[in-house]
Amino acid sequence: MAHIQVLPKQLADMIAAGEVVERPASVVKELVENAVDAGSTQITVEIRHGGATYIRVTDNGRGIPKEEVPTAFLRHATSKLRSAEDLDRIGTLGFRGEALAAIAAVSYVQMLTKPAGQPMGYSYSIENSEPQEEGDAGCPDGTTVVVRDVFFSVPARYKYLKADAAESAAIHDILERQALAHPEISFRFLKDGKSVFTSAGDGDARSVAEIVLPGQSAQLLEVYADDGAVKVTGFVGRPTQCRNSRGGQFFFVNGRTIRSKILTAALERAYENQHMTGRFPIAVLYLQMPLDQVDVNAHPTKMEVRFLEEKALFGRVYRAVQDALAGATDRPTLHARPVEAGAETPAPADVPPEPRQQEEVTFRSPAAPAPRVKPALWPREEERWAPPVQPARSGPEKEETPAVQTRFPLPPAPRYAPVPTGTEPEGREAEPAAPVETGPETPPWRIVGEALKTYIIVEQGDKLLFIDKHAAHERLGFDALKAQGYRPMSQELLRPLSWRPAPEDRAILLEKAAQLEEFGFQIEEFGDDALAVRAAPDFLACGDIPGALEDLAHEYALGEADPDAQRDALLHSMACKAAMKGGQTNQAQELEVIAQAVMEGKVTHCPHGRPVAAELTRKQLEKQFGRS
Ligand code: ADP
Ligand code: MG
């Protein structure tokens, strides 16, 4: 066994360096952080071969006085921290005083630096932690650091350097994050002699967002919340901008780019029920909070931080994002199929709207005092419960769908008034428009009809909307259920309904009987292999009860850990079962209720995140017909 010895300084430095400098991208990160901390307004980063052979970071910050330059390259040498108390309120990106020492331990480094007001700058080079040359040099205000051949002295690391492209991508990501974190700084990134991006540095975060999320920034919704303790600003994407990875999510705390499970969760929770499962919102969120509320000294890369009050922060971010989303209704656009490939017509000139020939009835929402229409949404009492079905191994027979099937607690019927447009028939007076009670002004619209027993067609201004009646109704029901605090009215069945579910469904339903009672179901064993239902939520048609319970059993079997998510999942299935279905015939007034909710923006996505409406514009149609 060898004797215990203290490692030579150089080797110790090299080992310590491994913590800070994992790869060329970490060198870029540290150097750029130094440039930001130095109060720069312009930072240029140039790399070659993924940073492995060459990295240069130039800033116009405060520079380093020449007598301090060698010290800056010593381990634990920093100008940013003085005492243990300072650790509690770190306002700079760096604080450990390790980066320059670490970089110098594994590569050739040259620094040129000049504080403003000094006549001459200073040049200093260091290799393998050994100072090489130093002396006065002419240079502009600020600091330039050139790093060559990262890991040349650490063959074990050198071997594992990733391909240039992967390393370049990592550096690109770091610089985008820094540019987003600091819209007030102009960043330039050059790769192998070519410019990759330049940010304006004019403080406009949206313009940086456009660089990072090309084509998305105009659509982003602004976030602003400030409760005095924490300020949340930035942007979030609309539900339709969701992606299939989290690559479009950026979080910043006090100017530092971080990854955070808690913030990710808060963001995504705000989109719950608005986006499709498996898709992720995009976001650029800035948090400003007192320095002592966040511990940035939690991880070597400083990418992870600890928040003092995680729960409260979760709530703040969640609400801020929800507020931003609240005003947004967005609908996908339908694409008319081109008649001939390549037969694109030039951009249309302004086409005056056709004069309206027919007398039309336009619904305005909310509108003038109007004949209240009692909606036929609530079935008569005697229709409510069909006679119990007989136990059948294969589950309940599929019912033929009668005209009115919905038993959902829908909002009251729309208050609408015929609004004469175009030529007004004589003898009828225009109704005075009632003041808007809630929500944003909705331009006048009217239902054109229903197509394919599935889509409600609405005309509004210069566009047509196709509303998926099932999806929209499902959403309405889901929201209503949630609003009831998850406690739908339970209705006792005249005669218990019994059926034979699959044995595993039966077992799980019995096990969860108490929880099901909260949802309005009373179930019990019925013989060896059947179940009896004594009560069910009042909006479920009798024939839908077994199916709804089986869906619930499957949800339970999936075993979502989060009870809230599980409840939501259960409500989804119930709302889905109770909603009007495509292919069903519904009464005009029911369709009006649905259309009204969609047009007012109360409903934008079904509980599974599918949009409830799509648009087709006059322009698209005109293009299709070659009219423009
Ligand atoms: P830290 O950033 O944690 O303080 P570093 O090793 O990265 O440690 O840098 C050491 C010191 O060198 C910094 O505290 C700072 O005073 C100085 N420094 C490094 N880079 C720059 C720069 N680009 N401009 C001005 N000062 C710098
Ligand atoms: Mg630093």
Side-chain angles (χ1 to χ4, degrees):
M1 195 64 152
H3 295 295
I4 300 174
Q5 281 180 337
V6 174
L7 290 175
K9 180 184 164 300
Q10 225 175 13
L11 188 52
D13 283 353
M14 206 185 278
I15 292 168
E19 284 261 301
V20 183
V21 181
E22 257 185 315
R23 52 195 289 188
S26 4
V27 173
V28 173
K29 176 170 189 287
E30 294 294 338
L31 295 179
V32 169
E33 287 188 353
N34 281 345
V36 171
D37 282 345
S40 313
T41 57
Q42 270 180 20
I43 298 173
T44 303
V45 177
E46 195 182 338
I47 61 163
R48 289 185 209 142
H49 302 112
T53 60
Y54 185 87
I55 295 169
R56 187 176 70 175
V57 178
T58 304
D59 68 50
N60 63 351
R62 68 178 65 93
I64 308 175
K66 90 180 192 188
E67 57 285 358
E68 290 180 20
V69 174
T71 319
F73 283 91
L74 297 179
R75 278 185 71 198
H76 313 303
T78 178
S79 58
K80 302 169 191 175
L81 201 66
R82 287 285 174 266
S83 66
E85 292 84 71
D86 290 350
L87 261 182
D88 235 14
R89 36 170 194 271
I90 292 167
T92 47
L93 298 178
F95 51 88
R96 296 198 181 114
E98 283 192 309
L100 289 182
I103 295 166
V106 296
S107 53
Y108 302 100
V109 181
Q110 190 191 6
M111 179 185 271
L112 261 176
T113 186
K114 177 168 113 57
Q118 303 273 320
M120 283 297 273
Y122 200 66
S123 166
Y124 181 85
S125 58
I126 179 168
E127 172 187 326
N128 237 345
S129 303
E130 289 292 328
Q132 304 293 307
E133 287 166 26
E134 55 190 299
D136 290 341
C139 63
D141 292 350
T143 303
T144 297
V145 180
V146 179
V147 176
R148 287 192 175 84
D149 299 329
V150 183
F151 296 135
F152 80 96
S153 59
V154 196
R157 274 284 167 92
Y158 194 79
K159 270 197 310 212
Y160 289 103
L161 277 188
K162 295 224 171 68
D164 289 5
E167 209 50 38
S168 295
I171 292 171
H172 193 168
D173 178 65
I174 282 168
L175 295 177
E176 283 185 340
R177 283 173 189 275
Q178 287 294 350
L180 270 178
H182 300 282
E184 74 285 0
I185 300 176
S186 167
F187 284 87
R188 266 181 75 201
F189 175 36
L190 295 124
K191 187 178 88 178
D192 299 313
K194 290 196 194 85
S195 167
V196 181
F197 76 81
T198 304
S199 67
D202 58 1
D204 178 11
R206 203 182 275 264
S207 80
V208 190
E210 181 58 32
I211 295 173
V212 178
L213 302 163
Q216 304 294 318
S217 72
Q219 293 251 67
L220 295 176
L221 304 164
E222 205 147 337
V223 177
Y224 185 92
D226 188 357
D227 60 5
V230 179
K231 190 164 150 185
V232 186
T233 57
F235 311 99
V236 292
R238 290 162 192 270
T240 43
Q241 290 178 287
C242 284
R243 302 185 157 186
N244 41 25
S245 81
R246 293 198 169 92
Q249 298 181 357
F250 302 89
F251 300 102
F252 305 95
V253 174
N254 296 339
R256 179 189 301 279
T257 170
I258 60 150
R259 291 185 214 286
S260 158
K261 285 207 175 100
I262 198 96
L263 297 182
T264 306
L267 168 74
E268 291 176 3
R269 192 63 173 274
Y271 282 77
E272 211 172 50
N273 311 318
Q274 289 211 35
H275 67 301
M276 287 199 209
T277 27
R279 311 245 322 146
F280 303 94
I282 58 177
V284 178
L285 287 178
Y286 303 95
L287 277 73
Q288 287 291 337
M289 61 177 78
L291 296 179
D292 59 4
Q293 291 291 299
V294 49
D295 179 9
V296 298
N297 191 17
H299 195 261
T301 63
K302 301 171 280 181
M303 272 293 272
E304 274 155 44
V305 298
R306 262 187 240 122
F307 298 109
L308 202 60
E309 291 174 11
E310 278 200 338
K311 265 214 167 115
L313 189 68
F314 178 96
R316 285 186 173 105
V317 172
Y318 169 72
R319 283 190 300 274
V321 175
Q322 247 195 351
D323 287 351
L325 286 172
T329 55
D330 56 352
R331 304 183 179 113
T333 328
L334 290 173
H335 292 286
R337 196 168 47 161
V339 181
E340 270 175 47
E344 283 284 277
T345 40
D350 265 353
V351 182
E354 305 283 296
R356 296 202 174 158
Q357 304 287 324
Q358 283 165 295
E359 182 200 326
E360 294 176 324
V361 175
T362 305
F363 296 105
R364 219 179 234 165
S365 60
R372 265 206 180 260
V373 184
K374 167 114 178 68
L377 299 177
W378 293 275
R380 279 172 288 125
E381 208 44 46
E382 61 272 24
E383 288 178 344
R384 205 175 273 251
W385 301 110
V389 292
Q390 294 303 311
R393 171 61 70 189
S394 55
E397 297 267 312
K398 272 250 174 263
E399 277 184 312
E400 266 305 298
T401 49
V404 174
Q405 177 92 17
T406 55
R407 289 148 201 266
F408 232 35
L410 279 172
R415 297 184 304 128
Y416 63 89
V419 176
T421 51
T423 49
E424 190 179 331
E426 274 178 355
R428 213 169 74 180
E429 276 183 31
E431 304 270 4
V436 175
E437 285 161 20
T438 52
E441 185 90 44
T442 311
W445 52 274
R446 71 181 185 100
I447 293 182
V448 177
E450 186 189 5
L452 310 173
K453 284 190 175 177
T454 301
Y455 304 103
I456 307 167
I457 304 177
V458 168
E459 179 183 354
Q460 183 183 41
D462 255 4
K463 65 191 179 199
L464 293 176
L465 272 97
F466 291 76
I467 297 171
D468 178 333
K469 70 177 181 185
H470 168 74
H473 192 203
E474 187 178 359
R475 178 68 200 207
L476 268 179
F478 176 73
D479 288 347
L481 289 178
K482 275 196 95 149
Q484 287 170 25
Y486 304 118
R487 284 182 188 275
M489 285 278 288
S490 180
Q491 174 139 339
E492 214 163 297
L493 274 60
L494 289 175
R495 260 183 293 160
L497 175 157
S498 61
W499 94 109
R500 288 194 190 115
E504 62 276 17
D505 291 349
R506 182 176 178 275
I508 208 156
L509 289 171
L510 284 171
E511 184 196 324
K512 301 281 182 186
Q515 215 166 323
L516 287 168
E517 221 160 292
E518 276 190 51
F519 289 95
F521 290 104
Q522 269 179 36
I523 60 163
E524 58 194 38
E525 281 182 279
F526 191 75
D528 281 347
D529 53 1
L531 284 177
V533 182
R534 299 207 167 273
D538 64 348
F539 55 81
L540 272 185
C542 202
D544 282 334
I545 292 173
L549 281 167
E550 280 163 10
D551 279 358
L552 295 185
H554 299 157
E555 296 288 352
Y556 281 128
L558 286 177
E560 283 247 32
D562 176 2
D564 277 351
Q566 195 174 59
R567 277 167 170 252
D568 273 7
L570 299 179
L571 294 182
H572 284 178
S573 359
M574 298 209 287
C576 179
K577 276 281 172 298
M580 56 172 74
K581 315 219 170 19
Q584 231 171 36
T585 311
N586 298 97
Q587 293 201 351
Q589 284 151 352
E590 287 184 291
L591 301 180
E592 280 160 27
V593 174
I594 303 291
Q596 173 103 8
V598 173
M599 298 312 289
E600 283 180 353
K602 284 190 189 135
V603 172
T604 59
H605 293 77
C606 84
H608 312 286
R610 284 188 299 278
V612 298
E615 288 182 5
L616 186 61
T617 63
R618 178 193 288 270
K619 260 190 189 158
Q620 286 173 304
L621 276 170
E622 276 164 358
K623 218 170 180 181
Q624 184 75 13
F625 287 103
R627 285 173 64 112
S628 59

